[in-house]
Amino acid sequence: MMTSVDTDLIRVLADPLRLQIVTLLARETLCTTHLVEETGAKQTNLSNHMKVLREAGVVDTEPCGRFIYYKLRPEVLAGLSEQFAALAESARTAADESARTAAENKRACP
């Protein structure tokens, strides 16, 4: 059972503008112009955030003439979701075990 979460991906998604971009891309494929209009961010700032999302593997690019369209890679978010689900399951198991033994599941202090 996996009990750790991809901290690099969490850092990438922790930025409010990047999370807003991911939320927009979850609904549709958008170009930089659309993203600038939707977020109100400056084009250069948005491009820098898109680079971070691309390098993290969260989005793919699709050239269309002189525009670049961005689309979300849902499997990346699904993988992160599975990691969190595994953590939750581990916590549930520990809590259930603690309830069965009528003792808390905590390590004794030295």
Side-chain angles (χ1 to χ4, degrees):
M1 175 184 302
M2 179 179 285
T3 57
S4 64
V5 177
D6 186 341
T7 56
D8 291 334
L9 185 54
I10 290 173
R11 275 190 217 102
V12 166
L13 296 174
D15 181 89
L17 179 56
R18 287 194 289 262
L19 187 55
Q20 182 183 9
I21 291 166
V22 167
T23 302
L24 290 167
L25 293 176
R27 289 182 258 161
E28 61 185 318
T29 300
L30 298 168
C31 73
T32 306
T33 304
H34 297 132
L35 289 167
V36 166
E37 290 172 1
E38 292 287 332
T39 63
K42 294 190 183 296
Q43 197 273 330
T44 53
N45 186 24
L46 189 89
S47 292
N48 288 331
H49 284 287
M50 295 313 297
K51 179 181 178 189
V52 171
L53 290 169
R54 268 192 332 271
E55 289 176 350
V58 177
V59 298
D60 280 331
T61 59
E62 189 176 302
C64 184
R66 61 181 201 159
F67 298 100
I68 301 289
Y69 277 82
Y70 295 93
K71 60 183 175 180
L72 192 61
R73 295 186 60 216
E75 68 274 9
V76 173
L77 296 179
L80 186 59
S81 174
E82 290 167 6
Q83 292 172 0
F84 276 113
L87 278 174
E89 183 58 31
S90 179
R92 257 187 234 103
T93 301
D96 290 348
E97 187 175 301
S98 175
R100 278 193 307 273
T101 61
E104 289 188 42
N105 185 16
K106 61 183 172 184
R107 191 180 294 189
C109 292

